[in-house]
Amino acid sequence: MTDDCIFCSIVAGDVPARTVYETDAVLAFLDANPLAPGHTLVIPKSHAARIEDLETDLAAAVFEAVADLTPRVQDAVDADAATVGINDGEAAGQEVPHVHAHVIPRFDDDGGAPIHAVAGDRPDLDSDDLDALADSIADATSA
Ligand code: 5GP
Ligand code: ZN
């Protein structure tokens, strides 16, 4: 619990929210400013600002909830699809510094875009660049 965190305040019951799912570790509630009907946020109950701050078990619990909830949210609003994503850090658009996965129902011809639309200009990378990047990421993740 972090006193000045709005999502911790929701977990504590100090700020109201339209809860749609709850386990010991995870809470999901409707986004107050939805991008689509049924737009749902899935959060770990304990405070973690960024994905890298999540303990492995908690990361698994959050994704389990996302996997469980996504089809149910879609069904509830009769959506055709869903976009699921996390803004991880300010540069990615994260405004609330408590990890949350967005489950956004999507509809045929809703005028939206795929997740590929969120990044800026595409980098110009050749095959050698891609090899080097893959090596560098593999080295970083094998530590
Ligand atoms: P972010 O930009 O951090 O990924 O998204 C934060 C999300 O939290 C936004 O979609 C915003 O509408 C939602 N949000 C911010 N404050 C509250 C709140 O007090 N209650 C609820 N239910 N959603 C909130
Ligand atoms: Zn918090």
Short mmCIF file of all heavy atoms in Angstrom, two decimals, residues 80-111:
data_model
loop_
_atom_site.label_atom_id
_atom_site.label_comp_id
_atom_site.label_asym_id
_atom_site.label_seq_id
_atom_site.Cartn_x
_atom_site.Cartn_y
_atom_site.Cartn_z
N ASP A 80 -16.15 -7.88 -30.54
CA ASP A 80 -15.60 -8.79 -31.55
C ASP A 80 -14.17 -9.21 -31.23
O ASP A 80 -13.67 -10.20 -31.77
CB ASP A 80 -15.62 -8.10 -32.92
CG ASP A 80 -17.03 -7.69 -33.32
OD1 ASP A 80 -17.88 -8.60 -33.40
OD2 ASP A 80 -17.28 -6.49 -33.52
N ALA A 81 -13.51 -8.45 -30.37
CA ALA A 81 -12.09 -8.69 -30.09
C ALA A 81 -11.71 -7.87 -28.87
O ALA A 81 -12.58 -7.21 -28.26
CB ALA A 81 -11.25 -8.27 -31.29
N ALA A 82 -10.45 -7.93 -28.51
CA ALA A 82 -9.97 -7.10 -27.41
C ALA A 82 -8.52 -6.72 -27.66
O ALA A 82 -7.76 -7.50 -28.24
CB ALA A 82 -10.09 -7.83 -26.08
N THR A 83 -8.16 -5.53 -27.22
CA THR A 83 -6.75 -5.15 -27.18
C THR A 83 -6.34 -5.16 -25.72
O THR A 83 -7.02 -4.58 -24.86
CB THR A 83 -6.54 -3.74 -27.78
OG1 THR A 83 -6.85 -3.77 -29.17
CG2 THR A 83 -5.09 -3.29 -27.61
N VAL A 84 -5.24 -5.85 -25.43
CA VAL A 84 -4.74 -5.97 -24.06
C VAL A 84 -3.35 -5.36 -24.02
O VAL A 84 -2.51 -5.70 -24.86
CB VAL A 84 -4.68 -7.45 -23.64
CG1 VAL A 84 -4.08 -7.60 -22.25
CG2 VAL A 84 -6.09 -8.07 -23.68
N GLY A 85 -3.12 -4.46 -23.08
CA GLY A 85 -1.80 -3.84 -23.05
C GLY A 85 -1.49 -3.17 -21.73
O GLY A 85 -2.38 -2.88 -20.92
N ILE A 86 -0.20 -2.95 -21.54
CA ILE A 86 0.29 -2.26 -20.34
C ILE A 86 1.19 -1.11 -20.78
O ILE A 86 2.13 -1.32 -21.56
CB ILE A 86 1.10 -3.22 -19.45
CG1 ILE A 86 0.21 -4.34 -18.91
CG2 ILE A 86 1.78 -2.46 -18.31
CD1 ILE A 86 0.95 -5.42 -18.12
N ASN A 87 0.88 0.10 -20.32
CA ASN A 87 1.79 1.22 -20.50
C ASN A 87 2.81 1.11 -19.37
O ASN A 87 2.48 1.39 -18.21
CB ASN A 87 1.03 2.55 -20.43
CG ASN A 87 0.06 2.72 -21.59
OD1 ASN A 87 0.35 2.33 -22.71
ND2 ASN A 87 -1.09 3.30 -21.31
N ASP A 88 4.02 0.69 -19.68
CA ASP A 88 5.03 0.41 -18.65
C ASP A 88 6.06 1.54 -18.62
O ASP A 88 7.09 1.46 -19.28
CB ASP A 88 5.69 -0.95 -18.92
CG ASP A 88 6.59 -1.38 -17.77
OD1 ASP A 88 6.22 -1.16 -16.61
OD2 ASP A 88 7.67 -1.94 -18.04
N GLY A 89 5.75 2.57 -17.85
CA GLY A 89 6.65 3.71 -17.74
C GLY A 89 6.08 4.95 -18.41
O GLY A 89 5.26 4.86 -19.33
N GLU A 90 6.52 6.10 -17.93
CA GLU A 90 5.97 7.37 -18.42
C GLU A 90 6.13 7.55 -19.91
O GLU A 90 5.23 8.05 -20.59
CB GLU A 90 6.67 8.54 -17.71
CG GLU A 90 6.05 8.90 -16.37
CD GLU A 90 6.70 10.14 -15.77
OE1 GLU A 90 7.00 11.08 -16.54
OE2 GLU A 90 6.88 10.15 -14.55
N ALA A 91 7.29 7.16 -20.45
CA ALA A 91 7.54 7.36 -21.88
C ALA A 91 6.56 6.54 -22.73
O ALA A 91 6.33 6.85 -23.90
CB ALA A 91 8.97 6.99 -22.23
N ALA A 92 5.99 5.51 -22.12
CA ALA A 92 5.01 4.68 -22.82
C ALA A 92 3.59 5.15 -22.54
O ALA A 92 2.63 4.53 -23.01
CB ALA A 92 5.18 3.22 -22.42
N GLY A 93 3.45 6.23 -21.76
CA GLY A 93 2.12 6.77 -21.50
C GLY A 93 1.52 6.36 -20.17
O GLY A 93 0.35 6.63 -19.92
N GLN A 94 2.33 5.72 -19.31
CA GLN A 94 1.77 5.32 -18.01
C GLN A 94 1.52 6.55 -17.15
O GLN A 94 2.44 7.34 -16.88
CB GLN A 94 2.74 4.37 -17.28
CG GLN A 94 2.17 3.85 -15.95
CD GLN A 94 3.11 2.87 -15.25
OE1 GLN A 94 4.26 2.70 -15.66
NE2 GLN A 94 2.63 2.24 -14.21
N GLU A 95 0.29 6.73 -16.73
CA GLU A 95 -0.07 7.88 -15.89
C GLU A 95 -0.24 7.49 -14.43
O GLU A 95 0.04 8.30 -13.55
CB GLU A 95 -1.35 8.54 -16.42
CG GLU A 95 -1.11 9.21 -17.77
CD GLU A 95 -2.34 9.93 -18.30
OE1 GLU A 95 -3.41 9.83 -17.68
OE2 GLU A 95 -2.20 10.57 -19.36
N VAL A 96 -0.74 6.30 -14.19
CA VAL A 96 -0.89 5.82 -12.81
C VAL A 96 0.26 4.85 -12.52
O VAL A 96 0.34 3.77 -13.14
CB VAL A 96 -2.25 5.12 -12.60
CG1 VAL A 96 -2.35 4.58 -11.17
CG2 VAL A 96 -3.40 6.08 -12.88
N PRO A 97 1.16 5.23 -11.61
CA PRO A 97 2.36 4.40 -11.37
C PRO A 97 2.10 3.20 -10.47
O PRO A 97 2.74 3.03 -9.42
CB PRO A 97 3.35 5.39 -10.76
CG PRO A 97 2.49 6.39 -10.07
CD PRO A 97 1.20 6.49 -10.84
N HIS A 98 1.12 2.41 -10.84
CA HIS A 98 0.80 1.13 -10.19
C HIS A 98 0.43 0.23 -11.36
O HIS A 98 -0.55 0.53 -12.08
CB HIS A 98 -0.36 1.32 -9.20
CG HIS A 98 -0.78 0.10 -8.46
ND1 HIS A 98 -1.03 0.06 -7.09
CD2 HIS A 98 -1.04 -1.17 -8.89
CE1 HIS A 98 -1.42 -1.14 -6.73
NE2 HIS A 98 -1.44 -1.92 -7.80
N VAL A 99 1.20 -0.84 -11.57
CA VAL A 99 1.04 -1.68 -12.77
C VAL A 99 -0.42 -2.01 -13.02
O VAL A 99 -1.14 -2.41 -12.10
CB VAL A 99 1.79 -3.02 -12.62
CG1 VAL A 99 1.54 -3.92 -13.82
CG2 VAL A 99 3.27 -2.80 -12.43
N HIS A 100 -0.86 -1.84 -14.26
CA HIS A 100 -2.24 -2.21 -14.61
C HIS A 100 -2.29 -2.61 -16.07
O HIS A 100 -1.73 -1.95 -16.93
CB HIS A 100 -3.21 -1.06 -14.33
CG HIS A 100 -2.78 0.25 -14.89
ND1 HIS A 100 -1.82 1.03 -14.31
CD2 HIS A 100 -3.18 0.92 -16.00
CE1 HIS A 100 -1.63 2.13 -15.02
NE2 HIS A 100 -2.46 2.09 -16.06
N ALA A 101 -2.98 -3.71 -16.29
CA ALA A 101 -3.21 -4.16 -17.67
C ALA A 101 -4.57 -3.62 -18.11
O ALA A 101 -5.56 -3.72 -17.38
CB ALA A 101 -3.21 -5.68 -17.74
N HIS A 102 -4.58 -3.01 -19.29
CA HIS A 102 -5.84 -2.55 -19.88
C HIS A 102 -6.43 -3.70 -20.70
O HIS A 102 -5.73 -4.29 -21.53
CB HIS A 102 -5.59 -1.39 -20.85
CG HIS A 102 -5.10 -0.13 -20.22
ND1 HIS A 102 -5.93 0.93 -19.96
CD2 HIS A 102 -3.86 0.25 -19.81
CE1 HIS A 102 -5.23 1.92 -19.43
NE2 HIS A 102 -3.96 1.54 -19.33
N VAL A 103 -7.70 -4.00 -20.47
CA VAL A 103 -8.44 -4.90 -21.35
C VAL A 103 -9.50 -4.04 -22.04
O VAL A 103 -10.44 -3.56 -21.39
CB VAL A 103 -9.10 -6.06 -20.56
CG1 VAL A 103 -9.90 -6.95 -21.50
CG2 VAL A 103 -8.04 -6.87 -19.82
N ILE A 104 -9.29 -3.81 -23.32
CA ILE A 104 -10.14 -2.87 -24.06
C ILE A 104 -10.94 -3.63 -25.11
O ILE A 104 -10.37 -4.14 -26.10
CB ILE A 104 -9.28 -1.79 -24.75
CG1 ILE A 104 -8.39 -1.09 -23.71
CG2 ILE A 104 -10.17 -0.78 -25.48
CD1 ILE A 104 -7.30 -0.23 -24.33
N PRO A 105 -12.24 -3.75 -24.92
CA PRO A 105 -13.06 -4.43 -25.93
C PRO A 105 -12.96 -3.70 -27.27
O PRO A 105 -12.88 -2.47 -27.31
CB PRO A 105 -14.48 -4.34 -25.36
CG PRO A 105 -14.28 -4.21 -23.89
CD PRO A 105 -13.04 -3.38 -23.74
N ARG A 106 -12.93 -4.48 -28.33
CA ARG A 106 -12.84 -3.91 -29.67
C ARG A 106 -13.98 -4.43 -30.53
O ARG A 106 -14.46 -5.55 -30.35
CB ARG A 106 -11.49 -4.31 -30.30
CG ARG A 106 -10.28 -3.80 -29.53
CD ARG A 106 -10.19 -2.28 -29.53
NE ARG A 106 -10.21 -1.74 -30.87
CZ ARG A 106 -9.11 -1.56 -31.63
NH1 ARG A 106 -7.94 -1.85 -31.14
NH2 ARG A 106 -9.22 -1.07 -32.86
N PHE A 107 -14.39 -3.59 -31.45
CA PHE A 107 -15.55 -3.90 -32.28
C PHE A 107 -15.17 -3.72 -33.74
O PHE A 107 -14.35 -2.83 -34.08
CB PHE A 107 -16.71 -2.95 -31.92
CG PHE A 107 -17.12 -3.06 -30.48
CD1 PHE A 107 -16.47 -2.33 -29.50
CD2 PHE A 107 -18.13 -3.94 -30.09
CE1 PHE A 107 -16.82 -2.45 -28.16
CE2 PHE A 107 -18.49 -4.06 -28.77
CZ PHE A 107 -17.84 -3.32 -27.79
N ASP A 108 -15.74 -4.55 -34.60
CA ASP A 108 -15.52 -4.36 -36.03
C ASP A 108 -15.82 -2.90 -36.37
O ASP A 108 -16.83 -2.35 -35.92
CB ASP A 108 -16.46 -5.26 -36.84
CG ASP A 108 -16.09 -6.73 -36.69
OD1 ASP A 108 -14.94 -7.03 -36.35
OD2 ASP A 108 -16.99 -7.59 -36.90
N ASP A 109 -14.93 -2.31 -37.13
CA ASP A 109 -15.13 -0.92 -37.58
C ASP A 109 -15.30 0.07 -36.43
O ASP A 109 -16.08 1.02 -36.54
CB ASP A 109 -16.36 -0.84 -38.51
CG ASP A 109 -16.24 -1.81 -39.67
OD1 ASP A 109 -15.14 -1.92 -40.23
OD2 ASP A 109 -17.26 -2.45 -40.01
N ASP A 110 -14.57 -0.13 -35.31
CA ASP A 110 -14.68 0.84 -34.21
C ASP A 110 -13.78 2.06 -34.42
O ASP A 110 -13.76 2.97 -33.58
CB ASP A 110 -14.41 0.18 -32.84
CG ASP A 110 -12.98 -0.35 -32.69
OD1 ASP A 110 -12.13 -0.05 -33.54
OD2 ASP A 110 -12.73 -1.07 -31.70
N GLY A 111 -13.07 2.08 -35.52
CA GLY A 111 -12.24 3.25 -35.83
C GLY A 111 -10.91 3.24 -35.09
O GLY A 111 -10.12 4.19 -35.24
#
